[in-house]
């Protein structure tokens, strides 16, 4: 079983060596590493070429800059592996990641295996805990799940994450869903579409991926475009949650999550004239939310929203300081 690992590369000369070495030094050797130099203006592309000279398993593509989505799509076109993994060029994976995942695929006949990741600090590699956000116990237990079960699990932020890098995919499944070019939060936009394609999904309770928290990365720079792009997906995911909700508790949680997401988006776009139409749509959808399902703090925010939008935005920024 061959694994193709696709890595978009852009302005990461400080990090790319560690990323590459974490992949080529895997205990499982039947891999190919596809490095997509996305028009990087620094020395990243040259570093990729140097590694390719030393290891025949490495392929390098140099292309004009068009973002990580297009880079991943281009890598997928030339991938020859049976399964696909995505790794960001400033992150790295555990040495035994591929070996462990292949064992699960073979034992469970899984088409997608989801696993955990850990946030680590840029310079010290110290673990950054997200308390109360996704299970990360490293029990190494394997749970088989249906598509509906994975989506409900994600609703409660229990185990199944949305990041593309927190999974391994059968190639035929990965090829059915393209990353949206030019869109931020692209992982969020396709995670449920990829899961829907699989007949067998496994969750492996093990942290195999180290996500490096660094200044200037896309997810740390909370731009208006990021929130506007997220809005489109939030609507689609909300409809899925409502369809598969099995209990009143599920319906309430779906409504509350939808409110929190839209409230953040509205507050971020409030003073940005470029996204005026999106803001109007968000406002309309906020008003359609079932008030009785919200908790006290959310009800207070909702009431303020209906009375005075500017005070609501001020309050949102106080409650969610990273907005």
């Amino acid at each position: 079983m061959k694994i193709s690992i696709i890595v978009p590369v852009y302005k990461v000369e400080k990090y790319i060596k560690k990323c590459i070495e974490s992949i080529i030094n895997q205990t499982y050797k039947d891999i190919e590493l596809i490095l997509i130099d996305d028009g990087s203006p620094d020395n990243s592309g040259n570093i990729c070429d140097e590694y390719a000279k030393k290891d025949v398993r490495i392929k390098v593509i140099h292309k004009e800059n068009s973002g990580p989505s297009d880079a991943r799509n281009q890598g997928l076109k030339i991938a020859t592996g049976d399964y696909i993994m995505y790794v960001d060029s400033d992150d790295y994976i555990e040495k035994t990641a591929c070996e462990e995942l292949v064992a699960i695929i073979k034992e469970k006949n899984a088409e997608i295996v989801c696993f955990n990741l850990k946030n680590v600090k840029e310079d010290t590699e110290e673990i950054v805990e997200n308390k109360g956000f996704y299970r990360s116990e490293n029990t190494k237990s394997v749970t088989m799940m249906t598509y509906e079960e994975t989506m409900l699990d994600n609703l409660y932020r229990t185990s199944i994450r949305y990041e593309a890098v927190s999974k391994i995919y059968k190639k035929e499944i990965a090829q059915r869903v393209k990353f949206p070019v030019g869109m931020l939060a692209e992982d969020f936009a396709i995670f449920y579409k990829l899961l829907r394609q699989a007949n067998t999904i496994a969750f492996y309770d093990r942290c195999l991926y180290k996500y490096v928290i660094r200044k200037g990365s896309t997810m740390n720079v909370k731009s208006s475009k990021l929130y506007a792009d997220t809005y489109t997906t939030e609507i689609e995911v909300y409809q899925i949650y409502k369809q598969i909700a099995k209990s009143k508790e599920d319906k309430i949680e779906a409504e509350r999550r939808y409110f929190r997401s839209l409230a953040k988006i509205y507050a971020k776009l409030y003073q940005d004239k470029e996204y005026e139409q999106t803001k109007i749509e968000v406002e309309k959808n906020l008003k359609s939310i079932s008030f009785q399902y919200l908790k006290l703090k959310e009800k207070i925010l909702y009431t303020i929203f209906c009375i005075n939008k500017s005070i609501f935005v001020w309050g949102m920024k106080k409650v969610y300081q990273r907005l």
Side-chain angles (χ1 to χ4, degrees), residues 194-236:
L194 284 163
L195 290 170
R196 184 182 283 156
Q197 299 297 319
N199 294 313
T200 50
I201 304 169
F203 169 68
Y204 182 39
D205 186 25
R206 171 95 158 92
C207 292
L208 297 175
Y209 191 100
K210 299 297 175 65
Y211 185 93
V212 178
I213 305 298
R214 65 183 181 91
K215 296 178 181 179
S217 66
T218 302
M219 293 311 293
N220 281 328
V221 179
K222 304 282 186 175
S223 67
S224 294
K225 177 172 171 51
L226 175 63
Y227 280 80
D229 286 350
T230 299
Y231 169 64
T232 303
T233 305
E234 287 289 358
I235 295 174
E236 296 175 0

Side-chain angles (χ1 to χ4, degrees), residues 260-293:
R260 293 192 302 268
S261 298
L262 292 190
K264 290 178 185 179
I265 293 168
Y266 185 86
K268 183 66 177 183
L269 302 183
Y270 183 68
Q271 293 181 316
D272 196 325
K273 298 299 182 183
E274 183 179 353
Y275 296 98
E276 185 67 25
Q277 185 56 44
T278 303
K279 187 186 76 173
I280 293 171
E281 292 178 21
V282 175
E283 180 176 342
K284 179 181 177 181
N285 283 308
L286 267 170
K287 291 178 178 178
S288 70
I289 287 173
S290 300
F291 180 80
Q292 70 270 22
Y293 286 164

Side-chain angles (χ1 to χ4, degrees), residues 6-27:
I6 299 170
V7 181
V9 178
Y10 185 73
K11 294 175 69 173
V12 285
E13 61 182 355
K14 179 180 177 181
Y15 312 95
I16 187 61
K17 289 183 180 181
K18 183 166 187 173
C19 174
I20 292 173
E21 289 180 7
S22 77
I23 296 170
I24 61 176
N25 291 323
Q26 287 288 298
T27 54

Side-chain angles (χ1 to χ4, degrees), residues 22-48:
S22 77
I23 296 170
I24 61 176
N25 291 323
Q26 287 288 298
T27 54
Y28 187 81
K29 301 303 180 184
D30 193 4
I31 64 173
E32 70 174 352
L33 171 56
I34 303 174
L35 300 168
I36 313 295
D37 172 22
D38 191 32
S40 187
D42 62 5
N43 198 42
S44 299
N46 292 330
I47 294 172
C48 293

Side-chain angles (χ1 to χ4, degrees), residues 82-176:
D82 303 292
Y83 277 74
I84 304 294
M85 289 180 70
Y86 299 104
V87 176
D88 289 341
S89 52
D90 49 356
D91 300 332
Y92 54 97
I93 58 177
E94 293 289 347
K95 190 175 183 179
T96 58
C98 292
E99 180 180 355
E100 294 179 52
L101 291 169
V102 167
I104 294 168
I105 290 167
K106 289 182 176 180
E107 180 184 353
K108 303 294 186 180
N109 193 30
E111 295 177 328
I112 295 179
V113 181
C114 310
F115 49 87
N116 285 321
L117 61 80
K118 281 280 192 182
N119 293 339
V120 297
K121 292 183 179 179
E122 178 179 349
D123 298 318
T124 64
E125 297 185 15
E126 179 185 349
I127 298 295
V128 179
E129 292 289 350
N130 281 330
K131 294 183 179 180
F133 197 63
Y134 293 112
R135 188 176 76 211
S136 185
E137 299 172 359
N138 257 344
T139 64
K140 295 189 177 181
S141 63
V142 179
T143 306
M144 300 304 295
M145 308 174 79
T146 64
Y147 167 70
E148 288 77 12
E149 287 170 338
T150 63
M151 290 304 296
L152 285 175
D153 181 284
N154 179 264
L155 171 63
Y156 288 99
R157 295 292 199 268
T158 307
S159 306
I160 305 299
R161 308 180 64 97
Y162 67 83
E163 298 95 341
V165 298
S166 64
K167 303 168 188 69
I168 185 170
Y169 315 84
K170 192 172 184 179
K171 183 170 71 172
E172 289 78 6
I173 287 174
Q175 289 175 329
R176 291 176 197 155

Side-chain angles (χ1 to χ4, degrees), residues 38-65:
D38 191 32
S40 187
D42 62 5
N43 198 42
S44 299
N46 292 330
I47 294 172
C48 293
D49 289 335
E50 288 301 315
Y51 273 96
K53 292 175 183 177
K54 303 173 186 176
D55 195 323
V56 295
R57 300 175 299 171
I58 299 177
K59 299 176 182 177
V60 181
I61 295 178
H62 299 280
K63 59 185 286 295
E64 292 184 2
N65 178 255

